[in-house]
Amino acid sequence: MPEPSANEAHQDARRSAHAHAATLKRLEKSSGSLAAQAIARMDETLSWYRAMPPENRSWIGLVAQAGIAAFTEWFRHPDAPQAISTDVFGTAPRELTRAITLRQTVEMVRTTIEVMESAIDEVAAPGDESVLREALLVYAREIAFATAQVYAQAAEARGAWDARLESLVVNAVLSGEADEGAVSRAAALGWNSPEHVCVVLGTAPDGDSELTVEAIRRAARHAKLQVLTGVLGDRLVVIAGGNDNPLHVAKSLIGPYAAGPVVAGPIVPDLLAATRSAQAAAAGLKASAAWQDAPRPVLADDLLPERAIAGDPAAREQLVEEIYRPLEEAGSALLETLSVYLEQASSLEGAARMLFVHPNTVRYRLRRVTDVTGWSPSDVRSAFTLRIALILGRLADGDPQS
């Protein structure tokens, strides 16, 4: 018979020096059969385990074997610091935490511990039953903490990845580069393509941006909105879906924003069109300083005159197409009456004298202006918007009187 090597002799010496060497030796011999019993018990009692593909079941089997082997090593050196999570769960790929829930992992660990506990009388040397049972109880606590740590680390990694993915989507919408790739990323984040989408912009508060983002998500859940959000520089950006009233959306989400203007872009049909809403909101946020009495939040469309003066071509086009052109098509009388009325400091009598008509005629035409454009000439703010639209319309037509 060949003589044992130096390493084997050293291991034998360490085993013999162990306070419960006989139990340890029997535990080492039984580890394979205990793992097989644990897998059989899981197959018998856990329906989700039976329904899993063979590859995942094999990984779970390896985890069970690693858990029993780690207990054996832990029983050999109970006072030595050990990373149980690495010893047990390090044998499985990271993707397994996505395929198996925390509840299922707890059931797997519980089943394995129950199998080991039921075999204590057979594995423990005479007189060591209570020692082994107590050691198993302590190890079960440690493996529970290790399980929680593995899933916490996996959740943290997924959260960091999701945050980067969400930031890419939000930045693509703001920069006008949203495409099908952005839609796919948004879908991976749980965006279910709601029919009504708008973008809300404002100043981000100081402090941890993650706390701000979480506050937006809480507000969105309360308002039953879907959101994609992020802090880009000093701006807090929210892409919200699920409501066709942008002002209502902005009011529902305004809490986490810092002091200052909050601007809601117009409603668009989907995420690909959200760039239009984002650009309107960004232009409105830039021009909001010109309207110091603006409400908070304010619609980007309510800032059309300030946006046009600040050089926003979309606002200029919108004012011409939605106000000037409809008035032009409705007849020259409406344009002429509105122009004279505004030039006469919104005086019905003054406009009537200039037009050589009765004040009631002026009043009737002004009501028609409201019907055609949606803006009332008698309201100071609306009158300002109408005046800017007239100026831009004349410039577009090349009117020499402009």
Side-chain angles (χ1 to χ4, degrees):
M1 177 178 294
E3 295 185 0
S5 65
N7 185 39
E8 291 175 342
H10 179 66
Q11 289 181 356
D12 290 341
R14 289 178 61 187
R15 289 172 185 163
S16 62
H18 194 275
H20 305 282
T23 297
L24 179 61
K25 186 174 181 180
R26 295 170 72 170
L27 186 61
E28 291 174 338
K29 289 183 177 180
S30 303
S31 60
S33 63
L34 288 174
Q37 292 175 40
I39 294 171
R41 179 77 64 85
M42 281 187 273
D43 188 63
E44 178 184 347
T45 60
L46 303 179
S47 58
W48 58 264
Y49 175 80
R50 293 193 298 272
M52 298 193 81
E55 181 182 6
N56 285 346
R57 288 204 303 271
S58 67
W59 282 119
I60 291 176
L62 288 177
V63 171
Q65 293 175 21
I68 295 172
F71 172 69
T72 303
E73 188 62 27
W74 183 83
F75 186 72
R76 177 182 289 112
H77 304 292
D79 298 328
Q82 297 180 36
I84 293 179
S85 61
T86 302
D87 292 341
V88 177
F89 297 101
T91 59
R94 182 178 299 177
E95 292 77 8
L96 197 63
T97 58
R98 291 183 179 269
I100 304 175
T101 65
L102 176 59
R103 179 185 60 81
Q104 291 170 341
T105 304
V106 170
E107 291 178 351
M108 177 189 70
V109 171
R110 181 189 292 120
T111 301
T112 305
I113 294 296
E114 287 175 351
V115 168
M116 295 177 67
E117 191 174 17
S118 65
I120 284 179
D121 293 336
E122 300 176 6
V123 174
D128 280 355
E129 293 85 357
S130 60
V131 174
L132 188 59
R133 184 172 286 105
E134 182 179 350
L136 186 60
L137 289 174
V138 176
Y139 180 76
R141 183 194 65 188
E142 296 298 323
I143 201 69
F145 287 140
T147 302
Q149 180 185 15
V150 166
Y151 275 84
Q153 290 174 343
E156 185 177 355
R158 284 197 299 271
W161 172 252
D162 288 350
R164 289 194 293 270
L165 205 61
E166 190 169 12
S167 179
L168 287 174
V169 175
V170 172
N171 188 63
V173 169
L174 241 65
S175 62
E177 299 174 355
D179 53 14
E180 291 298 335
V183 174
S184 298
R185 296 186 192 99
L189 295 168
W191 180 264
N192 293 328
S193 300
E195 293 182 358
H196 308 290
V197 178
C198 72
V199 177
V200 183
L201 286 181
T203 304
D206 296 332
D208 192 343
S209 61
E210 292 184 6
L211 296 178
T212 301
V213 168
E214 184 55 36
I216 288 289
R217 292 205 174 97
R218 285 197 302 270
R221 285 194 295 270
H222 181 73
K224 298 181 179 179
L225 297 169
Q226 293 187 50
V227 295
L228 297 167
T229 182
V231 176
L232 303 182
D234 62 347
R235 289 183 178 181
L236 174 55
V237 185
V238 180
I239 305 169
N243 191 297
D244 61 357
N245 187 332
L247 194 59
H248 177 76
V249 170
K251 288 180 178 178
S252 300
L253 303 175
I254 198 171
Y257 284 88
V262 175
V263 182
I267 292 292
V268 293
D270 52 39
L271 189 63
L272 285 176
T275 291
R276 189 167 75 250
S277 182
Q279 290 173 345
L285 191 63
K286 178 182 177 181
S288 61
W291 186 11
Q292 295 187 347
D293 296 328
R296 185 178 186 269
V298 63
L299 296 176
D301 283 355
D302 288 343
L303 287 159
L304 281 174
E306 286 81 8
R307 289 166 52 193
I309 294 172
D312 179 13
R316 293 182 175 185
E317 181 180 357
Q318 188 173 344
L319 285 170
V320 172
E321 296 301 324
E322 294 184 2
I323 295 178
Y324 185 81
R325 296 301 178 204
L327 288 174
E328 189 178 45
E329 293 171 2
S332 59
L334 292 188
L335 271 177
E336 182 183 19
T337 300
L338 176 61
S339 179
V340 171
Y341 175 76
L342 295 175
E343 293 297 333
Q344 294 298 314
S346 301
S347 169
L348 283 172
E349 290 75 12
R353 285 194 301 269
M354 292 294 294
L355 294 169
F356 302 103
V357 296
H358 194 277
N360 284 342
T361 302
V362 176
R363 188 178 287 109
Y364 168 77
R365 291 176 180 176
L366 294 179
R367 282 200 300 267
R368 288 278 297 128
V369 169
T370 303
D371 293 339
V372 170
T373 66
W375 299 85
S376 173
S378 61
D379 177 76
V380 175
R381 177 69 192 173
S382 295
F384 173 60
T385 303
L386 291 167
R387 184 186 291 271
I388 298 297
L390 290 182
I391 293 172
L392 293 173
R394 290 166 184 161
L395 288 173
D397 287 347
D399 190 339
Q401 293 183 0
S402 64

